[in-house]
Amino acid sequence: MSPAPDERDRIRAAMDRILQGTSQHSNGALTIVALAQEAGVPRNALTQRHLDLKNDFYAQVRARGQTPHSEIRLRQQIVKLKELRAKDATELAQLRTDVEHLVRAVNQLTTHNRQLLHALSQPDSPVRALPTQPHPGRSH
């Protein structure tokens, strides 16, 4: 599907309206979505066919000392992701510490269990096995 012959002209006119704050067909945001809506073209017209116009639009936005909305959103997302990453790193460090403690406890219990089993196997051992009692709710 080929673009309409006046597509570039409509995009340029839409750029002017948005940058002047006089948008007629969009919310006037400094985004490609708003620009496409204002120009009455599909968004991919700017992201695939007319990259030069998209880049020119963002260059004009920056030249006016403004930051495009898409960049603002991305920067906010980066901040959130960095916060989540820091939180995850803290949680991971705590989990690693917990694992070390649990491994030590398992090792100590295993050693103690071996000692008890060895003592239990000796004929003159003071260690006695307790009779097991059925647990309520369990069938044997």
Side-chain angles (χ1 to χ4, degrees), residues 110-128:
T110 300
T111 300
H112 189 64
N113 193 39
R114 281 190 191 128
Q115 291 169 347
L116 289 172
L117 287 172
H118 178 44
L120 187 60
S121 69
Q122 301 303 313
D124 59 343
S125 172
V127 178
R128 300 282 178 247

Side-chain angles (χ1 to χ4, degrees), residues 6 12 24 36-37 43 57 61 81 85 97 124:
D6 67 337
R12 284 190 188 102
Q24 301 168 356
Q37 187 177 20
R43 186 168 116 352
F57 176 67
V61 168
L81 290 172
R85 190 163 187 255
T97 299
D124 59 343

Side-chain angles (χ1 to χ4, degrees), residues 89 91-101:
E91 185 178 349
L92 182 59
Q94 182 61 52
L95 290 171
R96 285 183 174 146
T97 299
D98 292 348
V99 166
E100 289 174 15
H101 291 151

Side-chain angles (χ1 to χ4, degrees), residues 78-92:
I78 287 170
V79 168
K80 287 178 186 176
L81 290 172
K82 284 182 178 180
E83 290 170 356
L84 285 173
R85 190 163 187 255
K87 183 180 173 185
D88 287 347
T90 301
E91 185 178 349
L92 182 59

